[in-house]
């Protein structure tokens, strides 16, 4: 319940959105987003869902629309069979190996999974919705590994791609989604994913968020998981000044599975926030969540994870674990795991721990001759293992390990 | 544990049906006019012949309350409460002290009998002249302060406690006899502006218990308060203040009942505890307010603020609660762990059956070094009941070496109820360690079958399993309460299976 | 030569070691026996440099070098090895990775070349075979899910790989059956030689049947109260600490 604020705190965005001309497919979507922003603004910390993450720096920053630069930055080696590349917020057909497909193709289903009126990050995206990755995998097809890459090299741009990924019955896809950017530019990357999995489909969605240190990353995944389908999300949340990843997943058919794992790495002045809302809306589904947060310096880590079990969702098996490691006296971790259960034949549990590195373990390693820094790195890596081991795709795993290592090398 | 026999007995008493404590006592009452305004606050204060500072304190609370809004964040639903459509003062009229039990209003005696208070203590509670301060035979003495609607009617074992320098009396009496203590500590843990219901209570509280345990004294008996809402209409706004001076120890029990009525009644109490160096306060509650009928008609709205401050080093405050009654329970007994090495504990069983709603839990504020807290919460939902655990563990940067362990378990009986867990964990101290675990499950078919194969009815089996589920909490209760609590659990779940 | 002189130490302001004097010449194995609470574990932690154990006086030199000023890993690199009473579990840290990291860290500190993964595996397999350890223990997390005996064997494996100059066995016999005890003893005995010394800290004489010490010292109240030959251990066993130690 947001109190009506005399001045809409999203005014900067609203002004910019109103000046835009929209392509046909975007008219309704953008209008819905603008209406939501105009009516409610963006949430303050008084809103329960944003209790721990203050968006004011995002709202007060001035952003410009992508300028259409034709930079060709150095890019990480391609790991998948195809890759769609954004540079400075602009979809670059010339750098991509996956031919872009316009969102207008998806007009019929666009926005069907989201509710901008209650999901502010989604509303912000809707107000500016731009072409993103549009993928439809036909029934029964195994599409292998596809990559989505965003690199920002220049300018305080704000970009809001809308990605739509739809898997037909029994289809398979691994999607590696990497976001990078130069340090020192206060840009905003605000992607929204609409993921729809038909019966028996399997999507492994690995996200490597390694934006520049001054960037803002506000992303939201909306996944509708059909009967017997599996959505497997891993998110590394390591870059940006304020980085919030939301996942709204719904198990809509019997015997679906949802795995959400992640690692958050935060350092000086950073806020890293993972917020998951998992809706068990059908019987016999299983969900697993393991999130690990490592904080250094004056970092702030947030985990909010809600498991909602509807009355029809009998025989739900839900598990969630979130653990945080504080490596500095100035770090802060706030976590709010949450169960809301309306079915009786369920097995649901969550756990949360926050603490420092175990002094006994550290001593054990040092007593065997391993120097303190190396010992700490080993223990941090071990701490992340449980979450990272959930990533089965070798290419994705390699990309992830590399990102974690480079973070550690940079921050240690 | 002796659960088997107890549970069977309890389930047998279930067949007697209904809310066992749902009697109403027909006693002459004195009411303040309906509604709430400054005049009512002045009336209450005048009625109690209060000093000017307390009236001012109340008026300040009232002014704050008027500016506040009803909290909406709890997972409970109820129609808006019309605070003007209620009585804020009701007291039994007893002009003269009776000479013996025979002269005591038999209705009042019946009330105490139904409350399970032995005859000897009844005499004291009923204000019989010369009723001794010797304990009833064959029973551990428990000193009782009975609060009847708005007023403390009597306190037992006062003289005996005074020998140790212990003060146990109604808060009204304390205001007059120990104003320096009341003035210093009243509102020092739960300030007037703390929350909507605490502000309301601060403005209109009518009575409650006051306890002071002097330095180094271990209170020789359990102290107990029975709260009862009796008169039709009034809310109950009691205020309890317990001070444990350095090195002292006290165990305090609180029991609550209310008659069966169709309309909802409001209970908005405030309990403040203060523990100084090395002091221990154990506060146990068995809350059995009228829960409303199977369709959700009537029942008590229980909006309570309970908080303890561990001000001294190595002090300890332990809350244990068994919440089986009330239509709505909104209650978060909390600990402010200021003193180094201080300890906070919260053990809770909350049952919601039929249309009951409970949103309860605790807050542990770790401020001192090496402070420790333990939270064990057992929620049982049956019928159409909604049960929420809501808790906060906050570790400040100074709370070096702080530890928290939280275990929240929910049990669902039937597919129309809900069980929810909303913990908040805020850690700003590297060397602190916080662990939280929560599970939700139902009674397994094989457990039920095993019991039934051994000859228990399904209801008995459920009672047995539920008692087992709650064991960690029940074992924290003083003996006198544990047995009653076990029975209550089974009774509260009446009709939830089969 | 390990030389301890007038060593005093405290934990949280409480004095545990009250002035220990001890000389352990290179090539010898000494036992330290003492009742519970006499300071046995404290001594092993002080020698290996654990945080929280504050040295308030005295000195400890190993081959003439002051080790009290060194970090735990530096002490390890000089050849000091602590076999833990309760080896710590390290979930997520693979045993093979751990062993190789430790080995190479020590080699690096001593200016020796590191061993590569293949060399290491060969070495580890050979040592494991000798210790009768199943090979899958290399893949598992360090000590995770190991039985008490397996954890001790893992410690012995580490000792075999790291080839320390001085081993301190901190009640390593606690909770071990005879077979496991023999493995630990064999591990120590295999290293015995002119360049190796060991300090066997134990409550019971039992372990000393398998690792026969050159000298036995009695630790009581944070002090060495008596020293003697191997026969002293039997005397203690027969008469108890109260009688024999004085």
């Amino acid at each position: 319940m947001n109190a009506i604020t005399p001045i809409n705190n999203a005014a900067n965005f609203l002004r910019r959105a109103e000046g835009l001309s929209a392509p046909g497919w975007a008219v309704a979507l953008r209008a819905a987003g603008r209406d939501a922003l105009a009516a409610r603004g963006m949430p303050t910390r008084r809103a329960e869902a944003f209790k721990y993450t203050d968006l004011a720096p995002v709202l007060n920053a001035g952003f410009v629309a992508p300028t259409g630069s034709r930079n060709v930055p150095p890019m990480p080696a391609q790991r998948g069979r195809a890759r769609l590349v954004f540079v400075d917020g602009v979809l670059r057909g010339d750098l991509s190996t996956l031919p872009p497909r316009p969102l207008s193709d998806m007009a019929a289903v666009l926005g069907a999974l989201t509710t901008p009126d209650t999901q502010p990050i989604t509303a912000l995206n809707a107000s500016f919705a731009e072409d993103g990755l549009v993928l439809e995998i036909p029934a029964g097809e195994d599409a292998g590994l596809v990559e989505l890459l965003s690199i920002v090299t220049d300018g305080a741009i704000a970009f809001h791609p809308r990605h739509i990924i739809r898997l037909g019955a029994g289809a398979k896809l691994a999607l590696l989604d990497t976001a990078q950017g130069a340090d020192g530019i206060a840009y905003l990357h605000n992607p929204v994913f609409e993921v729809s999995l038909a019966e028996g489909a399997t999507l492994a969605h690995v996200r490597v968020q390694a934006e520049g240190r001054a960037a803002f990353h506000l992303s939201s995944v909306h996944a509708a998981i059909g009967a017997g389908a599996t959505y497997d999300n891993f998110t590394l949340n390591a870059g940006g000044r304020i980085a919030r990843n939301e996942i709204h997943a719904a198990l809509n058919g019997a015997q679906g599975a949802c795995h959400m794992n992640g690692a958050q790495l935060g350092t000086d002045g950073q806020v890293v926030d993972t917020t998951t809302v998992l809706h068990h809306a059908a019987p016999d589904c299983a969900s697993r969540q393991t999130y690990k947060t490592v904080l250094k310096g004056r970092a702030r880590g947030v985990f909010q994870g809600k498991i909602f079990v509807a009355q029809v969702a009998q025989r739900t098996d839900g598990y969630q674990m979130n653990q945080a490691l504080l490596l500095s006296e100035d770090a802060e971790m706030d976590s709010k795991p949450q169960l809301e259960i309306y079915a009786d034949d369920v097995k649901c549990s969550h756990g949360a721990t926050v603490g420092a590195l175990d002094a006994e373990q550290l001593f054990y390693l040092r007593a065997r001759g391993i120097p303190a820094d190396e010992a700490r790195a080993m223990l941090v890596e071990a701490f992340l293992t449980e979450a990272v081991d959930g990533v089965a795709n070798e290419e994705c795993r390699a990309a992830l390990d590399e990102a974690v290592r480079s973070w550690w090398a940079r921050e240690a | 544990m002796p659960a088997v026999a107890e549970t069977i007995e309890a389930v047998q008493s279930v067949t007697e049906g209904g809310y066992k404590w749902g009697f109403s006592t027909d006693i002459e009452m004195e009411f303040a006019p309906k509604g709430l305004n400054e005049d009512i606050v002045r009336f209450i204060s005048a009625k109690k012949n209060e000093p000017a500072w307390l009236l001012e304190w109340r008026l300040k609370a009232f002014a704050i309350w008027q500016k506040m809004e009803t909290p909406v964040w709890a997972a409970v639903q109820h129609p808006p409460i019309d605070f003007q459509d209620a009585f804020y003062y009701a007291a039994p009229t007893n002009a003269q002290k009776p000479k013996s039990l025979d002269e005591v209003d038999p209705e009042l005696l019946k009330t105490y009998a139904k409350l399970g208070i032995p005859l000897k203590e009844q005499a004291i509670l009923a204000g019989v002249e010369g009723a001794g301060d010797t304990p009833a035979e064959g029973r551990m003495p428990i000193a009782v302060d009975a609060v009847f609607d708005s007023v403390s009617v009597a306190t037992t074992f006062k003289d005996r406690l005074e020998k140790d320098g212990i003060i146990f009396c109604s808060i009204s009496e304390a205001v007059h006899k120990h104003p320096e203590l009341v003035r210093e500590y009243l509102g020092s843990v739960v300030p007037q502006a703390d929350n909507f219901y605490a502000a309301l209570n601060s403005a209109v509280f009518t009575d409650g218990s006051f306890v002071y345990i002097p330095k180094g004294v271990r209170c020789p008996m359990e102290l107990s308060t029975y709260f009862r809402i009796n008169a039709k209409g009034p809310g109950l706004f009691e205020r309890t203040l317990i001070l444990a001076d350095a090195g002292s120890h006290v165990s305090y029990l609180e029991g609550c009942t209310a008659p069966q009525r169709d309309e909802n009644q409001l209970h908005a109490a405030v309990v403040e505890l203060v523990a100084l160096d090395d002091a221990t306060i154990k506060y146990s509650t068995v809350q059995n307010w009228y829960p409303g009928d199977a369709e959700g008609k009537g029942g008590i709205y229980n909006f309570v603020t309970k908080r303890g401050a561990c001000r001294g080093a190595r002090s300890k405050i332990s809350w244990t609660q068994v919440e089986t009654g009330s239509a709505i329970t909104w209650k978060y007994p909390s600990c402010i762990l200021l003193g180094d090495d201080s300890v906070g504990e919260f053990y809770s069983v909350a049952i919601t059956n039929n249309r009951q709603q409970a949103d309860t839990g605790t807050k542990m504020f770790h401020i001192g070094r090496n402070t420790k807290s333990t939270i064990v919460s057992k929620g049982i939902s049956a019928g159409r009941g909604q049960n929420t655990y809501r808790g906060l563990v906050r570790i400040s940067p100074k709370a070096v070496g702080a530890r928290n362990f939280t275990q929240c378990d929910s049990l669902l009986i039937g597919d129309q109820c809900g069980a929810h867990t909303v913990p908040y964990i805020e850690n700003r101290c590297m060397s602190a360690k916080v662990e939280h675990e929560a599970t939700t499950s139902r009674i397994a078919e094989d457990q039920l079958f095993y019991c039934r194969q051994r000859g228990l009815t399904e209801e008995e089996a459920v009672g047995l399993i539920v008692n087992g589920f709650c064991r960690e909490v029940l074992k924290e209760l003083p003996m006198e309460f544990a047995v009653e609590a076990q029975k209550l659990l089974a009774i509260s779940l009446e009709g939830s299976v089969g | 030569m390990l030389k301890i002189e007038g060593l005093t130490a405290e934990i949280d302001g409480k004095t545990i070691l009250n002035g220990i004097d001890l000389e352990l010449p290179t090539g010898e194995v000494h036992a330290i026996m003492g009742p519970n609470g006499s300071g046995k574990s404290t001594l092993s932690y002080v020698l290996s440099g654990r945080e929280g154990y504050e040295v308030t006086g005295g000195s400890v030199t190993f081959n003439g070098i002051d080790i009290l000023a060194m970090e735990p890993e530096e002490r390890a690199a000089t050849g000091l090895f602590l076999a833990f009473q309760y080896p710590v579990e390290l979930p997520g840290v693979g045993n093979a990775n751990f062993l190789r990291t430790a080995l190479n860290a020590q080699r690096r500190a001593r200016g020796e070349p590191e061993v590569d993964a293949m060399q290491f595996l060969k070495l580890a397999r050979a040592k494991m075979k000798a210790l009768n350890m199943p090979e899958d223990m290399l893949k598992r997390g360090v000590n995770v899910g190991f039985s008490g005996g397996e954890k001790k064997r893992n410690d012995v494996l580490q000792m075999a790989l790291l080839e320390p100059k001085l081993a301190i066995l901190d009640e390593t016999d606690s909770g071990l059956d005879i077979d496991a005890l023999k493995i630990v003893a064999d591990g120590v005995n295999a290293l015995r030689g002119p360049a190796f010394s060991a300090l066997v800290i134990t409550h019971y004489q039992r372990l000393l049947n398998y690792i026969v010490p050159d000298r036995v010292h009695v630790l009581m109240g944070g002090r060495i109260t008596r020293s003697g030959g191997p026969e002293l251990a039997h005397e203690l066993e027969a008469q108890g600490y109260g009688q024999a130690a004085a």
Side-chain angles (χ1 to χ4, degrees):
Chain A
M1 246 156 282
N2 294 316
I4 296 162
T5 41
I7 301 163
N8 190 311
N9 66 357
N12 282 347
F13 284 106
L14 277 168
R15 253 193 308 278
R16 215 156 49 75
E18 272 149 24
L20 286 179
S21 64
W25 61 266
V27 171
L29 186 63
R30 290 189 187 177
R34 282 197 312 271
D35 288 351
L37 288 192
R40 285 168 207 86
M42 287 294 280
T44 66
R45 288 189 62 183
R46 294 182 65 180
E48 181 65 23
F50 288 81
K51 184 179 167 66
Y52 296 119
T53 297
D54 189 357
L55 297 181
V58 183
L59 300 171
N60 297 333
F63 298 110
V64 296
T67 52
S69 82
R70 303 303 287 172
N71 285 350
V72 179
M75 289 191 290
Q78 183 171 324
R79 295 175 185 272
R81 55 188 280 203
R83 177 158 76 179
L84 194 72
V85 178
F86 283 79
V87 177
D88 296 331
V90 175
L91 181 53
R92 292 285 292 273
D94 58 323
L95 301 176
S96 301
T97 50
L98 183 71
R101 219 182 122 185
L103 262 182
S104 52
D105 273 16
M106 293 291 167
V109 294
L110 190 59
L113 302 179
T114 68
T115 48
D117 52 335
T118 57
Q119 295 160 344
I121 285 175
T122 301
L124 184 61
N125 170 282
S127 308
F128 297 90
E130 299 158 74
D131 264 319
L133 172 67
V134 178
L135 262 187
E136 252 190 319
I137 313 297
E141 193 170 307
D142 184 347
L145 176 66
V146 169
E147 283 184 81
L148 171 63
L149 173 65
S150 162
I151 300 180
V152 178
T153 62
D154 196 17
I157 55 165
F159 63 116
H160 311 260
R162 179 71 63 128
H163 308 293
I164 294 209
I165 294 116
R166 297 169 61 82
L167 271 61
K172 280 194 172 66
L173 173 69
L175 175 63
L176 174 61
D177 156 23
T178 307
Q180 301 178 344
D183 290 336
I185 325 168
Y187 62 92
L188 167 66
H189 185 188
N190 171 220
V192 166
F193 291 83
E194 295 187 54
V195 174
S196 170
L197 307 181
E199 190 171 346
T202 302
L203 173 61
H205 188 183
V206 177
R207 310 189 60 208
V208 177
Q209 189 278 96
E211 307 276 16
R213 283 289 302 280
F216 303 106
H217 182 94
L218 304 177
S219 76
S220 189
V221 174
H222 303 263
I225 304 160
T230 300
Y231 180 60
D232 198 340
N233 178 299
F234 183 97
T235 304
L236 175 72
N237 197 23
R241 173 179 161 202
I242 296 174
R244 168 148 162 147
N245 285 306
E246 291 184 4
I247 305 176
H248 302 265
L251 287 154
N252 293 330
Q255 292 176 328
C258 183
H259 306 147
M260 302 195 277
N261 300 311
Q264 306 199 89
L265 309 174
T267 183
D268 255 348
Q270 254 187 307
V271 179
V272 286
D273 174 342
T274 292
T275 295
T276 69
V277 180
L278 177 58
H279 196 111
H280 275 267
D284 300 297
C285 292
S287 63
R288 293 280 175 279
Q289 298 181 55
T290 303
Y291 284 93
K292 304 271 184 167
T293 303
V294 177
L295 302 174
K296 299 172 64 95
R298 300 181 60 84
R300 178 99 180 274
V302 179
F303 174 82
Q304 307 183 102
K306 180 171 178 174
I307 301 176
F308 180 96
V309 180
Q311 205 213 319
V312 295
Q314 297 294 344
R315 296 171 301 283
T316 284
D317 181 359
Y319 170 82
Q320 177 195 81
M321 174 57 78
N322 95 80
Q323 298 183 301
L325 205 49
L326 304 185
L327 299 180
S328 107
E329 292 290 353
D330 301 316
E332 171 174 354
M333 180 71 199
D334 298 311
S335 60
K336 191 177 79 170
Q338 210 175 330
L339 295 171
E340 189 169 341
I341 294 170
Y342 295 93
D344 64 330
D345 189 2
V346 299
K347 215 172 69 187
C348 279
S349 62
H350 69 215
T353 66
V354 191
L357 281 177
D358 185 308
E360 280 203 32
Q361 295 182 341
L362 200 57
F363 175 68
Y364 187 84
L365 290 169
R366 295 178 70 188
R368 291 291 171 266
I370 301 170
D373 281 341
E374 203 175 335
R376 266 184 219 109
M378 275 180 96
L379 290 176
V380 168
E381 194 187 292
F383 173 75
L384 296 175
T385 297
E386 197 189 339
V388 175
D389 274 353
V391 177
N393 183 292
E394 282 176 22
E395 291 295 336
C396 294
R397 174 62 192 261
L400 209 55
D401 286 346
E402 199 179 297
V404 171
R405 264 195 307 271
S406 74
W407 183 84
W408 187 259
R410 189 163 92 160
E411 302 300 339
Chain B
M1 61 183 271
V4 185
E6 292 302 340
T7 308
I8 292 168
E9 193 188 327
V11 173
Q12 278 164 353
S13 68
V14 163
T15 51
E16 290 159 28
Y19 175 66
K20 186 176 152 198
W21 290 268
F23 52 87
S24 160
T25 312
D26 193 11
I27 291 169
E28 280 184 68
M29 300 293 292
E30 184 187 18
F31 290 95
K34 220 179 203 182
L36 183 55
N37 51 45
E38 257 194 45
D39 288 342
I40 292 288
V41 176
R42 286 176 196 282
F43 172 89
I44 293 168
S45 189
K47 214 48 194 161
K48 308 185 81 63
N49 200 19
E50 285 176 355
W53 67 264
L54 188 50
L55 173 63
E56 271 168 41
W57 193 83
R58 286 176 181 275
L59 289 172
K60 184 182 160 203
F62 181 71
I64 292 167
W65 178 75
Q66 279 187 302
K67 291 197 196 87
M68 292 175 109
E69 285 175 31
T70 324
V72 292
W73 43 262
V76 296
Q77 289 176 336
H78 56 84
I81 300 166
D82 182 355
F83 290 94
Q84 295 307 327
D85 186 29
F87 292 99
Y88 289 86
Y89 185 79
T93 54
N94 56 341
Q96 269 205 310
K97 277 200 170 181
K99 293 275 183 251
S100 76
L101 273 181
D102 297 340
E103 289 179 31
V104 175
D105 187 333
E107 291 298 327
L108 190 59
L109 283 186
K110 266 192 225 162
T111 301
Y112 294 138
K114 286 175 197 166
L115 287 170
I117 300 171
L119 202 64
K120 189 73 180 176
E121 285 157 41
Q122 286 180 33
I124 298 157
L125 287 175
V128 174
E129 276 181 11
D133 267 342
T134 47
E137 271 172 48
R139 198 164 170 274
M140 268 289 290
I142 301 178
V144 179
D145 182 29
V147 176
F148 207 80
D149 290 318
S150 302
V151 179
S152 167
V153 289
T155 311
T156 60
F157 293 112
K158 255 172 139 164
D159 295 349
R160 172 135 165 218
L161 292 169
E162 271 167 19
K163 280 178 200 150
D164 288 330
I166 295 167
I167 305 168
F168 180 37
C169 62
S170 72
I171 199 144
S172 312
E173 191 179 331
V175 166
H176 293 288
K177 290 192 177 161
H178 311 282
E180 69 299 337
L181 285 174
V182 176
R183 201 168 174 176
E184 183 179 347
Y185 288 102
L186 185 73
S188 73
V189 186
V190 180
Q192 292 126 304
D194 190 78
N195 69 70
F196 182 82
Y197 297 106
L200 176 62
N201 173 287
S202 301
V204 303
F205 76 90
T206 34
D207 221 331
S209 301
F210 176 83
V211 175
Y212 171 76
I213 314 289
K215 277 201 180 89
V217 171
R218 195 179 173 91
C219 187
M221 63 184 85
E222 307 274 351
L223 302 183
S224 174
T225 301
Y226 276 100
F227 294 104
R228 176 158 176 84
I229 295 181
N230 195 59
K232 199 168 172 170
L236 179 60
F237 305 96
E238 86 273 8
R239 185 122 194 159
T240 295
L241 179 56
I242 299 177
L243 310 174
D245 214 327
S248 69
H249 182 284
V250 62
S251 172
Y252 185 89
L253 319 176
E254 177 198 84
C256 337
T257 58
Q260 227 161 314
R261 294 192 191 285
D262 281 352
E263 75 274 28
N264 298 108
Q265 287 175 290
L266 180 62
H267 174 239
V270 171
V271 175
E272 296 178 277
L273 313 182
V274 177
L276 303 184
D277 284 356
D278 299 293
T280 298
I281 302 175
K282 184 173 173 61
Y283 193 106
S284 312
T285 303
V286 173
Q287 184 266 107
N288 186 31
W289 298 118
Y290 178 54
D293 68 12
E295 270 63 58
K297 199 158 188 226
I300 303 291
Y301 288 171
N302 191 32
F303 298 137
V304 170
T305 305
K306 291 184 168 175
R307 192 174 305 150
C310 283
R311 299 226 172 120
R314 297 165 303 279
S315 56
K316 176 176 173 181
I317 289 179
S318 180
W319 298 100
T320 305
Q321 61 174 29
V322 175
E323 304 282 321
T324 64
S326 298
I328 296 174
T329 297
W330 180 101
K331 182 181 169 188
Y332 315 91
S334 304
C335 297
I336 301 169
L337 303 170
L338 276 165
D340 289 351
D341 301 293
S342 61
V343 175
E345 294 176 342
F346 175 73
Y347 297 95
S348 171
V349 169
I351 292 194
T352 54
N353 195 3
N354 297 319
R355 300 264 180 182
Q356 279 177 278
Q357 307 172 59
D359 193 302
T360 185
T362 185
K363 296 180 190 177
M364 294 289 176
F365 298 95
H366 289 258
I367 299 161
R369 297 167 71 92
N370 296 314
T371 45
K372 290 189 176 52
S373 64
T374 303
I375 299 171
V376 178
S377 164
K378 305 280 178 174
I380 298 142
S381 308
R384 291 176 175 275
Q386 297 295 329
N387 206 324
T388 302
Y389 167 82
R390 189 181 301 275
L392 169 68
V393 175
R394 179 177 289 162
I395 316 272
S396 81
K398 288 178 193 158
V400 172
R403 292 279 178 279
N404 162 265
F405 176 75
T406 301
Q407 175 75 48
C408 292
D409 296 315
S410 301
L411 194 66
L412 293 122
I413 303 173
D415 62 357
Q416 301 294 311
C417 53
H420 319 305
T421 313
V422 193
Y424 296 75
I425 301 161
E426 302 175 3
N427 188 352
R428 298 183 61 194
C429 180
M430 182 174 83
S431 60
K433 193 168 173 186
V434 181
E435 287 177 87
H436 170 97
E437 289 172 20
T439 66
T440 300
S441 55
R442 67 167 183 170
I443 295 177
E445 293 293 348
D446 54 353
Q447 292 174 317
L448 272 184
F449 176 72
Y450 183 85
C451 296
R452 297 175 72 187
Q453 206 288 320
R454 294 290 182 266
L456 277 73
T457 65
E458 191 168 5
E459 209 144 43
E460 287 165 349
V462 168
L464 187 73
I465 292 165
V466 166
N467 269 323
F469 175 75
C470 300
R471 194 186 57 235
E472 283 168 273
V473 173
L474 296 178
K475 75 178 170 55
E476 295 295 323
L477 284 174
M479 261 325 262
E480 292 77 7
F481 261 25
V483 175
E484 185 187 349
Q486 284 193 8
K487 288 184 191 176
L488 268 178
L489 293 188
I491 290 167
S492 306
L493 290 171
E494 176 207 342
S496 61
V497 291
Chain C
M1 156 93 91
L2 174 72
K3 195 169 179 185
I4 305 174
E5 281 180 312
L7 181 65
T8 57
E10 57 181 46
I11 308 169
D12 292 335
K14 195 179 163 216
T15 300
I16 309 287
L17 301 184
N18 259 318
I20 291 192
D21 294 295
L22 183 79
E23 283 193 13
L24 172 58
T26 305
E28 290 192 8
V29 171
H30 288 196
I32 291 186
M33 298 183 70
N36 290 331
S38 58
K40 299 196 298 293
S41 283
T42 301
L43 177 60
S44 60
Y45 284 141
V46 166
L47 293 179
S48 51
R50 184 164 191 164
E51 270 175 47
Y53 293 77
E54 200 182 334
V55 175
T56 49
S59 68
V60 179
T61 59
F62 182 55
N63 294 337
I65 307 162
D66 171 17
I67 63 167
L68 291 181
M70 297 166 96
E71 295 295 328
E73 59 268 31
E74 293 169 338
R75 300 183 201 201
T78 66
L80 189 150
F81 180 93
L82 172 64
F84 286 69
Q85 186 177 1
Y86 304 108
V88 178
E89 295 190 6
L90 301 171
V93 179
N95 212 16
N97 178 29
F98 164 68
L99 290 171
R100 192 160 79 92
T101 307
L103 180 63
N104 280 334
Q106 294 202 19
R107 293 179 71 96
R108 206 162 55 230
R110 291 193 291 258
E112 296 163 12
E114 299 188 15
V115 294
D116 67 25
M118 286 309 295
Q119 288 172 308
F120 170 76
L121 218 56
K122 220 169 129 188
L123 189 65
R125 284 199 179 124
K127 301 277 186 191
M128 287 178 83
K129 205 167 167 195
L131 289 165
N132 200 13
M133 287 170 70
E135 208 174 292
D136 78 320
M137 281 175 77
L138 272 182
K139 291 180 194 141
R140 285 149 66 182
V142 178
N143 295 327
V144 177
F146 287 23
S147 70
E150 284 177 326
K151 285 180 183 172
K152 297 291 165 69
R153 260 190 270 180
N154 202 23
D155 253 20
V156 172
L157 170 65
Q158 292 171 26
M159 190 162 67
L161 276 169
L162 299 172
E163 296 175 333
K165 294 199 186 85
L166 168 64
I168 300 165
L169 279 68
D170 181 11
E171 298 201 50
T172 200
D173 50 333
S174 62
L176 285 195
D177 59 25
I178 282 294
D179 290 344
L181 204 63
K182 278 184 182 160
I183 288 171
V184 171
D186 288 349
V188 175
N189 290 332
L191 290 170
R192 273 182 107 152
F196 174 81
S197 42
L199 204 52
V200 181
I201 295 173
T202 181
H203 186 112
Y204 303 104
Q205 185 266 336
R206 195 174 65 146
L207 178 63
L208 305 182
N209 289 336
Y210 302 96
I211 306 174
V212 180
D214 298 302
R215 300 277 296 164
V216 174
H217 308 277
V218 180
L219 184 63
M220 296 269 284
R223 260 197 204 95
I224 302 290
T225 55
R226 212 180 142 189
S227 298
E231 69 289 347
L232 179 54
H234 295 278
E235 193 185 324
L236 286 167
E237 187 84 355
Q239 298 181 14
Y241 287 103
Q243 294 261 325

